[in-house]
Amino acid sequence: MAERANGVIVNRLPSLTWNRLRVNHAFVNFDELPETNEEAVFTGQHEDQVKKETMTSADAERWADGFSRGIRREAYIAGKQATYQEQHFATALGRDFTDLIRDLAPETAVYTVEEGSKLDKPVILNWDFGKGGRAAAQQVIYARKGSEATFLLNLSSERDALGHAAIETKVIIEEGAALHLMKTNLLGRGFVLLDDSAAVVGDHAEFDFVQVELGGAKTYTGCYADQCGDHSLFKVQTGYLADQDHLMDINYVAVQRGKKTDSRISVKGSLRDQATKVFRGTIDFRKGAKGSVGDEQEDVLILDPKVTNKTVPVVLTEEEDVDGRHGATLGNLSPDILFYLGSRGIDKDAAEMLMTRGRLMSVVNLIPDEETVARSHHFIREAFEANE
Amino acid sequence: MSDSLLQVKDLSVAIEEGQILHDVNLTIRPGETHVLMGPNGAGKSTLGNTLMGNPVYHVTGGQIFFDGQDITRETTDKRAKAGMFMSFQNPLEVPGLSLESFIRNSLRQQTGKPVRIMQFKKQLEETMALLNMDPSYADRDLNVGFSGGEKKKAEILQMLMLAPKFAILDETDSGLDVDAVRTVSKGIEEYHKRSDGALLIITHNAKILESLAVDYTHVLVKGSLVTTGGADLVQKINEEGFEQYIEEAAKANE
Ligand SMILES: Nc1ncnc2c1ncn2[C@@H]1O[C@H](COP(=O)(O)OP(=O)(O)O)[C@@H](O)[C@H]1O
Ligand SMILES: [Mg+2]
């Protein structure tokens, strides 16, 4: 259906139960990408703590596929209509995007965290787009048995900059390892971002995913965790801010196959002006996931009646002995609350900033890098000041 | 006149549904303690809200001067920045904003300067102790799941931390047990002592006034101030009720 236009379908919902909301997927139109010839400047910090190799993206993909034992040929989908695509290493944005980025980024950086090693500092990968530009980058992070590491990926530019970025991060987490993957988007108001994360999570392994989405005009992002390991944990903590006519399109999927797996998805955000947010959150318990639990919670602050807020929580179960939950909190700043805050000297703009910051900083503060925290803090403040 | 902190001149106030206050006149000088009494529905909260600038209440006549400025049309936050405060009759629950963050940001907005964190935390801790508040309340979402008493203490905590020139206390004591009333009353006394702040205390209860030197007592009936007296008027009303004033108001309206 998309072949007519020049673009890709991303962020497919793994079940077609919510057709009426028209959010079964998102379409990224290439004709709408901002024109730019500048390349973003990449810098890495603390990369020497891990082994870094470069492979062709095709090789890296084949290599990573070898780790994703249970994922090939999604023929059978949890009693619902199957829309998972065939993908060896399943991702949230999906196959079209994987095909696209393989062409855009001919090389993939492969990071290996050696068995049992615990990194002191986060490995920080920065893409600075300055006055505008583009980037396409793929990484594979291989956390070997019993290791623990934090990877922080920062995208930033000047405030009025435009450009586009395509990022894909695949993560392999072996038995007993813990990987903290953190991504921040502090891009300018004219950016289109496609940012995919996907993981295979082994026995007693932990995938901790933190996402801070503050900038950009259109953001398509997602995270897919294949919890094939028993007792594996997938934890998502996201904070976003969408304003003006911007789009925030999110797709999180937890596929829980192992016994006693645990997924916890928490998404907090603030919408103002005419912004649109689409959040798809799927918890998919597969046969054999006995004793598994999953929980997705959303907390949205609506600061303007003209925003569009779409949420599709899905819990799929093939297994009886599981517990899947979802919940949502919708907040707004009523005239009563504005008067209350006003009576303490806090005006409407300050109130909106304060309430947004409260939600977002609880996520931002999870990042173990002071500079990133400070920049995020500053970005939130500026977003409210510049908007007046 | 120029030594007045708050001056309300012929103030009339309406909401969509109709007129509530009629030609109210009131003058409060720095450091004075005024008590406002009146039957339920007389318009006491309306007066407090109007002084604070709640947009629900429309000033249909008269003026409000604060600290020499005409603030009749001023926004609520500007009034707060000028040194006005109100302890709400029903403090709102605000999920996603902690009590501590609320106070810190209020201070920041009012002073226009960053708050010095260590000093602030210390003062907050001490003030919470004074009010017998468990320190854990600082991190909790504002008023969410607070008991009635804790909500009122949190209001007094804000007053002490913000040290306004003038505070309106709207039934801060109602619904509280004896201990909580005593604690709140201690807080008010402390505010008065520390900042020589002026007070307009809306209450039905003489207990909260025990440790305060009341300068004036006003009685509001059906939107009109019908009488003003000294501290002894509180006692008189507690014994005799409002009947006499209600009758007078009815006669005056004939
Ligand atoms: N926001 C409002 N909406 C509707 N009616 C109101 C509102 N505020 C006050 N009133 C009405 O105005 C009158 C005075 O109310 P209020 O000021 O709360 O009285 P008091 O505080 O003396 O008990 C009452 O009849 C009340 O019902
Ligand atoms: Mg009242």
Side-chain angles (χ1 to χ4, degrees), chain B residues 72-200:
Chain B
T72 317
R73 309 278 157 207
E74 204 53 279
T75 57
T76 298
D77 65 289
K78 297 251 173 59
R79 298 179 198 215
K81 285 168 187 151
M84 210 187 257
F85 178 93
M86 180 165 83
S87 164
F88 281 53
Q89 183 170 359
N90 300 303
L92 278 84
E93 301 192 356
V94 188
L97 177 64
S98 73
L99 174 60
E100 175 173 340
S101 173
F102 181 42
I103 299 176
R104 189 159 34 79
N105 282 281
S106 301
L107 264 175
R108 168 148 181 57
Q109 293 295 324
Q110 295 201 10
T111 58
K113 284 187 297 215
V115 174
R116 296 174 56 189
I117 294 294
M118 297 318 286
Q119 197 182 316
F120 168 79
K121 281 200 181 275
K122 185 161 168 276
Q123 198 196 340
L124 185 70
E125 231 167 72
E126 287 169 2
T127 314
M128 290 181 84
L130 176 87
L131 296 170
N132 297 332
M133 278 186 94
D134 192 290
S136 67
Y137 278 88
D139 294 328
R140 287 178 54 177
D141 280 0
L142 184 57
N143 297 326
V144 177
F146 288 24
S147 70
E150 298 299 343
K151 283 182 184 170
K152 297 301 176 76
K153 284 186 192 177
E155 295 286 293
I156 296 302
L157 174 68
Q158 291 159 47
M159 178 177 74
L160 285 165
M161 294 297 292
L162 296 171
K165 290 178 192 154
F166 170 56
I168 304 155
L169 306 185
D170 191 355
E171 302 207 19
T172 300
D173 50 355
S174 49
L176 301 193
D177 63 31
V178 185
D179 284 344
V181 170
R182 197 169 296 135
T183 306
V184 161
S185 163
K186 200 167 75 182
I188 299 169
E189 197 186 340
E190 184 69 22
Y191 159 71
H192 201 60
K193 220 162 56 190
R194 259 194 227 172
S195 4
D196 193 31
L199 284 159
L200 179 62

Side-chain angles (χ1 to χ4, degrees), chain A residues 92-132:
Chain A
L93 265 69
R95 195 177 59 203
D96 289 3
F97 179 65
T98 301
D99 290 342
L100 172 73
I101 197 167
R102 192 189 308 115
D103 294 337
L104 293 176
E107 290 188 333
T108 295
V110 179
Y111 297 90
T112 303
V113 188
E114 293 301 351
E115 191 169 324
S117 81
K118 314 244 180 213
L119 305 194
D120 296 338
K121 293 179 216 139
V123 175
I124 306 179
L125 314 179
N126 300 301
W127 284 266
D128 182 359
F129 293 75
K131 294 187 189 320

Side-chain angles (χ1 to χ4, degrees), chain A residues 11 93 195-196 211 213 219-223 248-251:
Chain A
N11 278 357
L93 265 69
D195 180 10
D196 203 356
Q211 191 158 26
E213 293 288 338
T219 299
Y220 305 88
T221 190
C223 186
M248 176 63 50
D249 193 288
I250 304 173
N251 189 31

Side-chain angles (χ1 to χ4, degrees), chain A residues 333-348 350 353-355 357-359 381, chain B residues 49 52 54 76-77 80-81 85-86 88 92-95 97 102 105-106 109-110 142-143 155 158:
Chain A
L333 287 177
S334 64
D336 284 350
I337 287 188
L338 285 174
F339 173 59
Y340 189 36
L341 301 187
S343 76
R344 306 302 189 245
I346 299 168
D347 67 12
K348 184 165 182 282
M353 200 261 288
L354 193 57
M355 299 305 294
R357 201 174 57 191
R359 277 173 174 72
R381 184 177 288 278
Chain B
N49 274 267
M52 202 68 239
N54 188 339
T76 298
D77 65 289
K81 285 168 187 151
F85 178 93
M86 180 165 83
F88 281 53
L92 278 84
E93 301 192 356
V94 188
L97 177 64
F102 181 42
N105 282 281
S106 301
Q109 293 295 324
Q110 295 201 10
L142 184 57
N143 297 326
E155 295 286 293
Q158 291 159 47

Side-chain angles (χ1 to χ4, degrees), chain B residues 28-46:
Chain B
I28 298 180
R29 279 171 284 269
E32 282 182 354
T33 298
H34 290 236
V35 173
L36 180 62
M37 303 183 86
N40 274 331
K44 302 181 297 295
S45 292
T46 299

